[in-house]
Amino acid sequence: MSALEHNIATMARYCRDHGVDLYPHGKTTMAPQVVAAQLDAGSAGVTVATVAQLRVFQAHGLGPGLVANQVVDEAGASWLGRTLADHGQVAASCYVDSVEGATRLDRLVAAARGAGTTARLGVLVELGHADGRTGARTLHQAQQVAEAVAASKALELVGVAGYEGSLVRETPSEAARAAREFCLGLGDLAGRLLARGLLPERPMVSAGGSAYFDAVVDALAGEDAWRLVLRSGCYVTHDHGLYHDLSPFERSDEGYTLRPALQVFAPVLSRPEDGTVVIGAGRRDASSDGALPVVLAARRGDRQLDVRGVRTLRLFDQHLVAATPSSGCELEPGDEVQLGISHPCTTFDKWRWIPVVDDDDRIVDVLRTFF
C-alpha cells in the first residue's frame, strides 16, 4: 500500500509541477479502487483502450474517459450513441485516424443516437508513425480526417493524440529523442488544425505512455493554445523490469521516484538437479512479455534465505525454472519466494482479487479487477 500511495502521489505531483493533466491508463489495473485513488489525487480523467473498459469505470462513477483507440465495432459505437440519446452527452471521447473510420463511427453513433438529440461524440484525430500501431501516417492524412469529422452529423473534433511509446530505437536515449520529435509533429498538427478552425479553443493534445512521458512534456507542455494530457498507467505500481529500466524518473535528476508495488509470491516446488530450482508460478500468474520475473527474496518460516545468484530461465504455464549458484543456495521445496515482475499490465490481468498489504505484510485491503 505505501508504494502504491507513493507512486500515485508522485505522478500527481509531477503533473502539477509541469502544468499538465493526467488521464492514467485504466487498462493497467482495471481496478476501480485504484483509479478512484488516482482521481482523488488529482487526475482529470481515466484512459481506456475499449468501450467495454470505459463502461466498467463509468458504472463505478469514474471518469471522464478517453478511449485511446479507434471505435469501429457496432456494439461499442452504438452504446456511445445510445448514451448520447439517454443523457444528452457522454463523458468520454475516442480516436479517429481515417476518413473511413470516422465515417463509420459517425454513421453508427448517429443511428443509435436517433433524431431526439443533436448531441455529438467528442473525437481526437490520432497521429501515428511508420511501423507503429493505429494513427494517420502523415499530417495531410490527419487533416483529411479532421475535415471528415467537421462534415459529420454526430461527431465533434475536440483534440489530437498520438502514442510515442511504440517508437523503437537502439537505446532508450535514442527512443526518447524520437519520441520528442514525434510529439513536436503532434503539436504541429494541432497548430495547423487550430489555424484552419477545425479545433475548438484550447483543445486536448494527448500523448505519453509510461516510458517517455518526459519527452512529451518537453515537446508539448507550456503551450497556452492547448491542454496537454498524459496517459501513463504503469507508474502506479512500477516494476522490477521493463519500467524500472525505462521510466523517465529512473533517468531524471528532478527528484521524482517510483517504487515497485506489485510482487508475486510462490513456493519452491522442486530441486530436480544441481543448479536448478523450480518455482510454482508461471504465465498464469505473472507477466512474461516484457521480461521474466526476477527472484527478489525467499524465506522459510521467519528465516530469510540467501537468493543471490538465482537467475530465472524459463516460464511455463505454472512453473518458473531458475538457475542457482553451484554452491550456497539454500532453497528447498516449500520455501516461499518473492518475485518481482516486468510489465504490470499483463500481471494484473491474471488476478481477479489482489491483496494489499501494509509495511508489516498485514493484509489491509483487497483490489478487485474487472478484465
Side-chain angles (χ1 to χ4, degrees), residues 315-341:
L315 197 68
F316 298 90
D317 284 353
Q318 314 250 206
H319 300 85
L320 175 62
V321 179
T324 65
S326 56
S327 63
C329 181
E330 303 179 288
L331 293 177
E332 296 178 357
D335 293 340
E336 183 182 72
V337 177
Q338 180 183 356
L339 300 169
I341 57 95

Side-chain angles (χ1 to χ4, degrees), residues 23-31 35 38 46-49 53 57 231-233 371:
Y23 276 48
H25 213 315
K27 73 172 174 62
T28 296
T29 66
M30 283 308 296
V35 171
Q38 292 170 300
V46 58
T47 299
V48 295
Q53 293 173 358
F57 294 122
R231 305 191 306 271
S232 310
F371 286 96

Side-chain angles (χ1 to χ4, degrees), residues 33-347:
Q33 292 152 275
V34 174
V35 171
Q38 292 170 300
L39 290 168
D40 288 344
S43 293
V46 58
T47 299
V48 295
T50 67
V51 173
Q53 293 173 358
L54 173 69
R55 294 180 68 173
V56 167
F57 294 122
Q58 296 213 337
H60 287 84
L62 303 174
L66 170 61
V67 183
N69 212 344
Q70 318 303 311
V71 179
V72 294
D73 63 294
E74 185 172 356
S78 296
W79 182 83
L80 293 169
R82 289 194 302 273
T83 302
L84 285 174
D86 293 342
H87 302 287
Q89 63 178 356
V90 56
S93 51
C94 69
Y95 290 176
V96 287
D97 74 345
S98 68
V99 173
E100 295 81 5
T103 300
R104 176 177 173 81
L105 177 63
D106 180 46
R107 174 171 55 81
L108 292 171
V109 170
R113 180 190 67 175
T117 179
T118 58
R120 292 173 176 257
L121 172 68
V123 297
L124 295 84
V125 173
E126 183 187 11
L127 183 66
H129 60 83
D131 300 320
R133 303 191 306 201
T134 53
R137 294 306 198 240
T138 68
L139 296 178
H140 177 67
Q141 291 171 342
Q143 183 176 327
Q144 289 180 313
V145 177
E147 291 168 348
V149 172
S152 68
K153 298 178 180 179
L155 307 181
E156 176 185 13
L157 193 63
V158 297
V160 301
Y163 178 57
E164 75 294 337
S166 51
L167 288 158
V168 178
R169 297 294 185 269
E170 290 293 327
T171 67
S173 60
E174 290 174 348
R177 285 194 294 271
R180 184 179 185 279
E181 289 300 315
F182 172 77
C183 290
L184 290 174
L186 193 61
D188 188 12
L189 173 62
R192 292 186 185 199
L193 298 184
L194 280 166
R196 288 166 172 77
L198 294 170
L199 282 173
E201 183 179 353
R202 205 158 187 268
M204 180 188 296
V205 173
S206 179
S210 298
Y212 305 111
F213 57 78
D214 56 337
V216 177
V217 169
D218 183 51
L220 294 171
E223 174 57 65
D224 292 337
W226 55 67
R227 177 171 68 109
L228 179 59
V229 174
L230 300 183
R231 305 191 306 271
S232 310
C234 293
Y235 78 89
V236 75
T237 61
H238 201 43
D239 65 21
H240 289 90
L242 181 66
Y243 290 104
H244 176 270
D245 296 334
L246 292 180
S247 171
F249 294 161
E250 297 294 336
R251 55 180 182 266
S252 169
D253 58 2
E254 292 186 276
Y256 305 100
T257 62
L258 297 175
R259 302 176 190 167
L262 182 62
Q263 291 87 43
V264 174
F265 291 80
V268 173
L269 299 179
S270 176
R271 290 291 303 269
E273 60 205 10
D274 289 341
T276 301
V277 62
V278 181
I279 301 166
R283 287 184 291 249
R284 296 181 184 274
D285 308 299
S287 58
S288 60
D289 57 314
L292 293 178
V294 295
V295 175
L296 301 174
R299 66 186 179 186
R300 185 179 302 147
D302 293 332
R303 180 187 167 204
Q304 294 295 317
L305 304 175
D306 186 357
V307 296
R308 286 175 296 178
V310 178
R311 180 170 51 90
T312 56
L313 299 176
R314 295 182 300 279
L315 197 68
F316 298 90
D317 284 353
Q318 314 250 206
H319 300 85
L320 175 62
V321 179
T324 65
S326 56
S327 63
C329 181
E330 303 179 288
L331 293 177
E332 296 178 357
D335 293 340
E336 183 182 72
V337 177
Q338 180 183 356
L339 300 169
I341 57 95
S342 179
H343 195 189
C345 296
T346 51
T347 296

